[in-house]
Amino acid sequence: MPLPRFRFLHLSRSARLVLAILPALAGQPAAADDLPPGPGRHLVESLCSSCHGTAYIPRSGGFDSAAEWRALFETMIDLADPQADTIAAYLAGHFPAREERRPTLVSGSTQITIEEWQVPTLGQRPRDPVEAPDGSIWWTGMWASLVGRFDPGRGAMAEYRLPPAARPHSIVPDRDGSIWYTGNSNATIGRLDPATGRITEYPTQAGDPHTAVFHPNGKLYFTAQHAGMLGRLDPATGEVDEIETRRRPYGIKVGPEGRLWVAYNGTNAIGAMDPDTLEVTYFPIPDERTRIRRLDIASDGTIWYVNSSLGRIGRLDPESGETREWPSPSGPSSHPYSLAVIDDVVWYNESGMRPDALVRFDPATERFQSWVIPSGVGIIRNGWVTRDGDLLIHQSSSNRIGRVRIPPVVRAQ
C-alpha cells in the first residue's frame, strides 16, 4: 500500500491546546471523595479506579442487591470471592437503585427479540458493533485497545490487539472485509487485515478521530469531536485531508444524494458536507440548547436525529430546512443517544435511563414503543443496521454486544 500523504488545513490555537492536554488527561481516575465511608471503600478505591474514575459509581443507576452489583462488576474485573463479596455489599449498601432513572416504557404491537453476548476480555467496554460482508459481527474494545470478531453461526469470538495507545472509538468494514478503526487516543485511522492480523496506521492532524463512514466513492470520512475537525482518507493513496468545523462533530452518515451528514454535539446544528470539496453547509436547529450525538437518513432523504440534551428526537427536511421534534417517552432527562432508521421507522435508546431503554418511533403513526435492554446498565452509543434489517447494539458497562431481531414493517395498502 502506498505511503500516506497528508494535506492539513487550518488548525486553530484552541484545537492545538486540546491536543496537547489530552494525553495528560488520558487514564487519570477521578478522586474518590464522593465515596461514603464503610467496609469495602478502600477496595473500591484501589480496585475499581484501576480502570475508571470512581465518579462513575454514584452516577450509575444503582442496584438494591449485592448479587446484582457483583454480576455487573464481574464483567469488568476478576476478583477473589472475599473481595468481590465485600465490594458488592458496600456498593449495595450505599448505592441502591435510583427510581427516578427508571424508563417510562410504552407498550405496543411490535414483537422484537434481543440477543446479547458477553465479549472475552473483561472491562474492555465494547461498543459500536458492525456487520462485515461475510456476516461476522465486529466491535471495538476501547479501553483494552482491541477489536473483536463474533461468528454468530458458530458462536465463536476472537480478539485482535491494536497498538496500546489507539483506544479505538468506532469501526467500519470496507468492501473486501478489512476493518477500519478510529484511533481515538493516538491520532490515527487504522486498517486491520483480518486474514493476516496486519495493521496499517494513517496519522491524522486531529487528535481524536471519532466516527467514520465509507462513501460510495471508496473514501473514508471521519469526525474528530474534541479537535473540532472533519476528515477524509483515500485508502488508494493514503492521502488524508482535514478541515476545521463547528464544535464537537460526532455522528456521520452518507445521504442518498452523496452528501455527508454530520451531527454536532457542541452546537445546535446539523451539517451537510460535500464529499469532493469538504465544504459544509449548516442547518440550525431552533433551540440553542440542542446537542445532537447521532443521526440517520430515511428513504426520502429526511434526516432524523436525537436531541440528546433536551430528551427529544427530531426530523430535518433538508430541502426547506424545517425541523419538527417529539419528546421521548421518559422525558427531558432521557438523553436519546444512538439512532438508526430501519424501514423508515426510527430506533433509538434513552441512555439517561437505567435500564437503558430501546425505543421505536413510527413516523407514519407518530407512536412510540419501548423495551428495556436485558443487561441495560450501559449505553448504546452507536447502532448498526444489518443486511437483514436487524439492529446491532452494545452495553459497554456490562461487556456485551447484542442484536435486536426486528420484524419487517407491513404498511396498509
Side-chain angles (χ1 to χ4, degrees):
M1 179 174 289
L3 292 174
R5 180 166 57 90
F6 311 98
R7 182 161 63 250
F8 299 135
L9 307 175
H10 310 303
L11 185 63
S12 66
R13 182 179 181 275
S14 60
R16 291 195 298 270
L17 178 62
V18 168
L19 301 189
I21 65 175
L22 277 176
L25 294 177
Q28 291 188 3
D33 296 340
D34 45 7
L35 296 180
R41 173 178 171 169
H42 175 69
L43 285 175
V44 172
E45 290 175 351
S46 60
L47 297 177
C48 297
S49 65
S50 63
C51 292
H52 60 75
T54 56
Y56 278 85
I57 298 171
R59 292 204 307 261
S60 72
F63 294 107
D64 291 326
S65 72
E68 290 173 300
W69 269 113
R70 181 165 177 170
L72 172 60
F73 66 67
E74 283 183 339
T75 69
M76 306 177 188
I77 188 171
D78 186 16
L79 299 174
D81 283 341
Q83 288 184 318
D85 289 341
T86 298
I87 290 175
Y90 170 83
L91 293 174
H94 294 286
F95 302 101
R98 295 167 57 184
E99 292 299 321
E100 72 275 11
R101 294 194 66 183
R102 294 193 181 277
T104 300
L105 298 178
V106 181
S107 61
S109 60
T110 299
Q111 301 294 317
I112 66 171
T113 302
I114 301 177
E115 307 166 283
E116 293 189 293
W117 304 277
Q118 184 169 321
V119 298
T121 298
L122 297 183
Q124 64 177 272
R125 297 186 71 83
R127 56 177 302 149
D128 292 31
V130 300
E131 182 184 48
D134 65 358
S136 60
I137 297 173
W138 291 77
W139 74 89
T140 68
M142 187 175 184
W143 285 14
S145 208
L146 61 80
V147 295
R149 181 184 187 274
F150 174 52
D151 182 338
R154 298 190 300 117
M157 289 187 177
E159 295 179 337
Y160 297 72
R161 298 289 167 172
L162 303 180
R167 299 183 78 243
H169 193 283
S170 66
I171 53 176
V172 60
D174 66 16
R175 295 164 183 162
D176 67 9
S178 295
I179 301 298
W180 294 76
Y181 65 86
T182 53
N184 193 245
S185 292
N186 70 350
T188 65
I189 301 293
R191 175 186 176 271
L192 168 71
D193 179 353
T196 65
R198 292 182 56 190
I199 295 168
T200 305
E201 291 186 299
Y202 300 85
T204 68
Q205 185 180 13
D208 63 324
H210 187 279
T211 299
V213 64
F214 270 105
H215 191 276
N217 65 15
K219 297 176 182 178
L220 185 76
Y221 294 78
F222 60 92
T223 62
Q225 180 182 199
H226 294 292
M229 302 184 77
L230 299 172
R232 175 182 61 200
L233 165 66
D234 186 345
T237 65
E239 180 179 332
V240 178
D241 298 313
E242 299 176 76
I243 63 166
E244 289 185 351
T245 186
R246 293 188 182 179
R247 291 192 316 240
R248 302 175 80 87
Y250 207 87
I252 183 169
K253 293 278 188 174
V254 181
E257 77 297 333
R259 285 191 294 179
L260 292 121
W261 293 89
V262 180
Y264 284 89
N265 193 32
T267 187
N268 57 313
I270 290 174
M273 182 169 66
D274 184 290
D276 299 321
T277 66
L278 303 187
E279 180 180 356
V280 180
T281 301
Y282 297 97
F283 293 80
I285 308 302
D287 195 316
E288 293 183 354
R289 299 171 296 170
T290 296
R291 298 295 181 266
I292 301 171
R293 290 187 181 272
R294 299 290 181 186
L295 52 74
D296 204 356
I297 305 157
S299 61
D300 63 357
T302 298
I303 311 301
W304 287 92
Y305 62 90
V306 290
N307 190 329
S308 299
S309 54
L310 298 178
R312 306 171 187 165
I313 60 167
R315 179 182 66 196
L316 166 68
D317 181 342
E319 297 300 323
S320 66
E322 295 180 354
T323 62
R324 183 184 174 190
E325 296 188 344
W326 291 260
S328 197
S330 297
S333 62
S334 58
H335 201 91
Y337 202 126
S338 175
L339 183 142
V341 177
I342 303 174
D343 288 338
D344 287 333
V345 172
V346 179
W347 295 80
Y348 68 98
N349 68 305
E350 293 182 324
S351 71
M353 302 293 103
R354 292 294 178 274
D356 198 4
L358 179 67
V359 186
R360 178 187 190 272
F361 176 73
D362 187 345
T365 62
E366 299 190 18
R367 290 181 180 175
F368 290 91
Q369 185 177 350
S370 54
W371 305 260
V372 297
I373 306 299
S375 67
V377 295
I379 296 172
I380 305 174
R381 289 176 167 84
N382 202 10
W384 179 277
V385 180
T386 71
R387 293 188 298 274
D388 293 335
D390 294 331
L391 180 65
L392 300 182
I393 61 172
H394 62 93
Q395 288 286 282
S396 298
S397 297
S398 59
N399 224 38
R400 287 172 168 84
I401 59 171
R403 176 172 56 198
V404 183
R405 299 282 193 180
I406 298 174
V409 174
V410 178
R411 300 289 187 193
Q413 299 297 318

